[in-house]
Amino acid sequence: MRLASARLVLLSAVLVTTTACTQLVTGSPTAGDAVTKGTVDPTFIQGTDGGPIDQLAATAITDVDSFWEETFPTTFGERWQPLEGGIYSVDTSDPSAKPPPCTEKASDVEGNAFYCPSADAIAWDRAALLPVLKDRFGDAAVVIVLAHEMGHAVQNRMGITPEAERRDPAKYPTILTEAMADCFAGSFIKWVNDGKSEHLDIGSDTLDSALGALITFRDPVGTSPDDQSAHGNAFDRVSAFQDGYQQGTKFCAAMTVQNRPFTQEAFTSADDRDRGGNLPFDEMLESITPDLNAYYKALVESAGGTWVQPEATATETEPDCSGDQGPVAFCPAEKSVEIEVKEDLPELHAEIGDYATGVLLASRYGLAAMSQVGVDVEGEAAATGALCLAGTYTREVFTRQQGFGLSPGDLDEAVRVLLTYDYAARDASGGSALDPGFKRVEVFRGGVLEGVESCGLG
């Protein structure tokens, strides 16, 4: 997070690189289960070896095509036109492999998947991309990546062509077209989740894998949203996917730079960039707890309550004052917040980033605020409310122009901790946590985008 002059910045220390539409980067594994009800013969794929990876890809491509055959007419009033240029699987480990369209040699595809608009074709690396995605994130990751690439084919049929983007880059920046493709992919996954897919079965418990894959393809922390190659941070990409899942293809097709907010930010100082933005664990606690108190004091008083500042108590073991809430707990009887400072929380802080710690703290202070306006702090509604309030606090610090505020990477850290852990969505007894992570991110987003009115505080 940041201060007005000597800025305190809570960022992810994880830097990633992207050079094409889909390129594998470092990330935490969240492998999911198999998602196929039966595979499709991959012989229609040019260059295929007929192996399991191309069978999975062929299955995904076949059902994505069926989705657009059904959905394109109702969305755009025209019949869906299948890809004219074909589908290409490239073994980038084979020096003699033939290059697909839009490339000069097979090695140009290494680690990538892409849509080639000039040929109306899709290609992928079956040696160094799809199998790695499958191993680390499960079959759903492969499906979501290929659904995203097909989303670009949809855009081409909408008239969002490379020529149109060159003529009016302000109207069709890359960050917008990538968000739209993520949104289309989300709509497809919802169609599968609804049981309409012939060959795929992706339930709610598998959606975290899909989001985990999107997160690996986020922009490097600190990339400007105005960068011509910007694809979006994790929060923006997950938001687009969830919007497509919830709102459908017409919503995705209507995205513009005027109606689509992006949270991606560039670094504001060399100091922030050089240190990766992360505050040391102890310094972060000292900085954020007074800000949380000030924020929730104003919130409680605006709801007609009286804020009594919880005592922040450090413990060397996981708090057990009120059930298992994880490494940070709101203790109703003591009216305190206990913070484990020895192992789990510092490790999470180091693994994901300092705003992962901030989200957990914000949710427990949210429970304290709920208790002080007479809202029940146990049950599913309490767990949802606490997580939503963590989102409203995030909204507050993100929109500040002065003082303590978010910096590049913070929202990505929030998404990662919510997908991986349910701590921020537990009630004051340690129960009623929201699952899956897809749902946790959705509730948190509601607080970030809609504010406290969406959280039911008093």
Side-chain angles (χ1 to χ4, degrees):
M1 305 191 79
R2 61 181 181 237
L3 292 175
S5 53
R7 296 194 167 189
L8 298 177
V9 186
L10 277 74
L11 305 173
S12 170
V14 179
L15 297 181
V16 296
T17 57
T18 57
T19 58
C21 185
T22 298
Q23 181 182 35
L24 188 64
V25 295
T26 56
S28 300
T30 56
D33 296 328
V35 297
T36 54
K37 295 184 287 188
T39 56
V40 171
D41 182 352
T43 53
F44 70 90
I45 300 172
Q46 299 191 48
T48 184
D49 64 351
I53 286 297
D54 278 352
Q55 290 176 22
L56 173 59
T59 303
I61 289 289
T62 297
D63 280 13
V64 175
D65 191 76
S66 295
F67 167 75
W68 283 112
E69 185 176 6
E70 174 184 315
T71 308
F72 198 87
T74 58
T75 304
F76 301 103
E78 299 177 5
R79 292 184 62 184
W80 168 247
Q81 299 298 324
L83 295 179
E84 294 182 358
I87 311 294
Y88 294 79
S89 172
V90 183
D91 181 0
T92 57
S93 67
D94 180 1
S96 65
K98 294 181 180 180
C102 284
T103 67
E104 296 181 355
K105 53 188 182 299
S107 60
D108 291 340
V109 189
E110 186 172 358
N112 292 309
F114 62 86
Y115 168 69
C116 172
S118 61
D120 194 31
I122 286 176
W124 60 77
D125 177 3
R126 75 163 179 271
L129 177 69
L130 296 196
V132 179
L133 283 173
K134 175 181 168 64
D135 289 345
R136 289 177 51 210
F137 300 101
D139 289 3
V142 174
V143 174
I144 194 68
V145 163
L146 297 179
H148 170 98
E149 299 308 334
M150 190 71 88
H152 288 306
V154 174
Q155 292 170 340
N156 203 44
R157 286 149 177 75
M158 293 170 60
I160 305 177
T161 62
E163 293 75 17
E165 294 175 39
R166 285 193 290 269
R167 285 196 306 269
D168 197 348
K171 183 176 181 180
Y172 301 118
T174 301
I175 197 169
L176 176 67
T177 57
E178 291 299 318
M180 189 181 293
D182 288 338
C183 189
F184 284 142
S187 297
F188 168 70
I189 295 298
K190 180 61 165 63
W191 181 80
V192 175
N193 189 234
D194 287 344
K196 298 179 180 179
S197 173
E198 181 179 355
H199 305 100
L200 296 170
D201 182 10
I202 300 178
S204 298
D205 58 346
T206 317
L207 291 175
D208 293 357
S209 296
L211 296 187
L214 280 183
I215 288 175
T216 66
F217 305 128
R218 69 192 186 278
D219 283 334
V221 173
T223 299
S224 169
D226 299 324
D227 190 306
Q228 290 186 349
S229 62
H231 283 44
N233 62 15
F235 185 84
D236 290 339
R237 300 203 70 168
V238 168
S239 291
F241 179 91
Q242 289 192 320
D243 282 339
Y245 188 90
Q246 295 161 354
Q247 306 289 342
T249 55
K250 289 185 178 181
F251 180 91
C252 304
M255 283 185 178
T256 67
V257 291
Q258 285 76 34
N259 65 24
R260 188 71 193 172
F262 293 102
T263 64
Q264 184 153 305
E265 291 184 328
F267 285 113
T268 57
S269 74
D271 182 55
D272 291 351
R273 183 187 65 243
D274 291 345
R275 69 185 182 190
N278 273 308
L279 287 176
F281 180 69
D282 292 343
E283 187 176 348
M284 191 276 286
L285 292 183
E286 293 173 1
S287 302
I288 198 171
T289 48
D291 198 67
L292 287 166
N293 271 303
Y295 173 75
Y296 282 112
K297 179 178 186 293
L299 204 62
V300 166
E301 290 179 350
S302 69
T306 301
W307 175 251
V308 178
Q309 179 174 316
E311 180 181 357
T313 305
T315 68
E316 293 192 354
T317 58
E318 186 171 288
D320 60 0
C321 63
S322 181
D324 181 9
Q325 298 179 48
V328 185
F330 168 61
C331 311
E334 297 83 356
K335 295 182 172 59
S336 66
V337 173
E338 291 191 358
I339 306 167
E340 185 269 301
V341 298
K342 189 68 173 178
E343 294 183 359
D344 291 349
L345 191 59
E347 289 175 4
L348 183 150
H349 180 98
E351 174 195 352
I352 296 180
D354 33 20
Y355 200 61
T357 305
V359 168
L360 302 195
L361 284 162
S363 73
R364 301 305 89 182
Y365 273 80
L367 283 174
M370 293 164 64
S371 72
Q372 294 186 30
V373 295
V375 175
D376 192 354
V377 293
E378 293 189 11
E380 184 175 340
T384 301
L387 180 54
C388 183
L389 287 173
T392 71
Y393 172 73
T394 303
R395 174 190 178 95
E396 164 69 15
V397 291
F398 178 75
T399 55
R400 286 178 186 163
Q401 299 301 312
Q402 300 291 329
F404 202 58
L406 292 190
S407 292
D410 288 345
L411 286 169
D412 288 10
E413 293 165 9
V415 170
R416 287 187 63 199
V417 75
L418 293 175
L419 283 177
T420 310
Y421 302 95
D422 66 3
Y423 300 142
R426 295 184 186 180
D427 67 8
S429 66
S432 299
L434 303 178
D435 283 313
F438 183 83
K439 178 65 176 178
R440 295 193 290 272
V441 174
E442 178 186 336
V443 171
F444 176 79
R445 279 185 63 226
V448 173
L449 300 176
E450 301 172 24
V452 70
E453 294 78 10
S454 64
C455 300
L457 181 67

